[in-house]
Amino acid sequence: MIIREMPESERPREKLRMNGAKSLTNAELLAVLLASGTKEKTAMDLAEEILSMSPEGIVYLTECAFEELAGISGMGLAKTSQLLAAVELGSRIATTPRRKRDRVSSPEDIANIFMEKMRYYRKEYFNVILFNAKGDIIAEENITVGDLSSSIVHPRESFSSAVRRGAAAVAFVHNHPSGDPSPSEEDVLVTKRLAQAGSILGIRVLDHVIIGDGRYSSLREKGLIE
């Protein structure tokens, strides 16, 4: 059925206007973003085809390649760009500290900032959070992408922004694509090496938080950072 032939209360845009975005299904949200379909497919048809690309459903869009999405009949440059831009925007909103989160006081605070984005990554992302002397977040930057190892995560790159920006402390955060946040032997080695480097530089390492799927581990809480 063509969307304009549906009862007004069932059309995605009208449902959003009357009941809010939370009332829409994933397919309806995608249909709103796509705005229109083709001669052969409605926007809802396209949305459902996108959701069926992977058993992961909508989560798959966080790692979907541009070419893969654009390869769907009816998805051209504009629609693909709109959709991937919306996914990235949502990820950035989810991980941007609100004013009340500008200061963190626990590993849970760090996990809350990064969980909704990093839990879905298929590769390991290693990030550093910079803090000023008052404990406020100055910035967050990615250090490396790929399997974590002491040869890849070098203190030089890990602390360069902190030194340049005069940070008083840092915290490191990375994800485990497996969903299990338990620290590996390599995680422990990297953490100890970075903590030693921070001590030499006079920059305190507050924590190293590992993000899993809805769970996290704090290496400070495990006694691996003094």
Side-chain angles (χ1 to χ4, degrees):
M1 178 183 290
I2 299 174
I3 291 178
R4 66 173 175 270
E5 296 178 352
M6 298 170 64
E8 184 173 339
S9 62
E10 294 301 316
R11 299 173 193 171
R13 291 178 182 174
E14 281 68 22
K15 283 181 66 176
L16 189 153
R17 176 175 57 83
M18 293 186 292
N19 305 313
K22 292 184 184 298
S23 69
L24 271 61
T25 65
N26 289 341
E28 288 172 334
L29 287 170
L30 288 178
V32 171
L33 288 171
L34 294 172
S36 63
T38 66
K39 291 182 179 180
E40 294 79 22
K41 305 175 184 177
T42 66
M44 282 293 294
D45 292 333
L46 275 175
E48 289 169 356
E49 187 171 348
I50 290 167
L51 290 175
S52 66
M53 291 172 64
S54 166
E56 295 180 354
I58 198 167
V59 173
Y60 183 66
L61 292 176
T62 61
E63 292 292 323
C64 184
F66 187 99
E67 293 77 13
E68 186 176 6
L69 195 56
I72 294 177
S73 176
M75 290 291 293
L77 173 62
K79 282 184 169 57
T80 301
S81 299
Q82 286 171 200
L83 191 51
L84 292 183
V87 171
E88 178 59 23
L89 184 61
S91 295
R92 294 187 187 187
I93 290 173
T95 57
T96 297
R98 296 181 178 178
R99 179 57 55 185
K100 65 180 181 180
R101 287 181 178 173
D102 278 350
R103 184 172 296 178
V104 300
S105 59
S106 69
E108 184 178 7
D109 290 338
I110 295 175
N112 285 339
I113 294 172
F114 293 95
M115 179 66 71
E116 288 311 307
K117 182 175 183 178
M118 298 187 77
R119 68 189 293 185
Y120 300 124
Y121 285 160
R122 295 182 176 182
K123 297 180 180 179
E124 290 195 22
Y125 283 69
F126 188 84
N127 294 354
V128 59
I129 310 170
L130 311 183
F131 298 87
N132 62 21
K134 294 181 179 180
D136 299 322
I137 295 177
I138 300 173
E140 174 260 322
E141 296 182 11
N142 174 253
I143 301 301
T144 186
V145 179
D147 294 335
L148 191 65
S149 71
S150 56
S151 61
I152 295 176
V153 182
H154 194 280
R156 180 178 58 249
E157 286 75 27
S158 300
F159 286 94
S160 62
S161 291
V163 172
R164 187 173 66 252
R165 303 187 68 162
V170 298
F172 298 103
V173 56
H174 88 279
N175 65 301
H176 278 181
S178 67
D180 181 0
S182 302
S184 65
E185 290 185 12
E186 195 66 45
D187 293 336
V188 174
L189 290 174
V190 167
T191 301
K192 290 182 176 179
R193 186 182 186 192
L194 293 176
Q196 291 172 353
S199 179
I200 293 171
L201 293 169
I203 300 174
R204 186 184 179 203
V205 175
L206 300 177
D207 209 336
H208 179 182
V209 174
I210 302 174
I211 301 294
D213 188 3
R215 298 179 292 156
Y216 71 90
S217 290
S218 162
L219 274 71
R220 177 170 289 281
E221 289 183 340
K222 293 182 178 297
L224 298 173
I225 299 177
E226 297 180 358

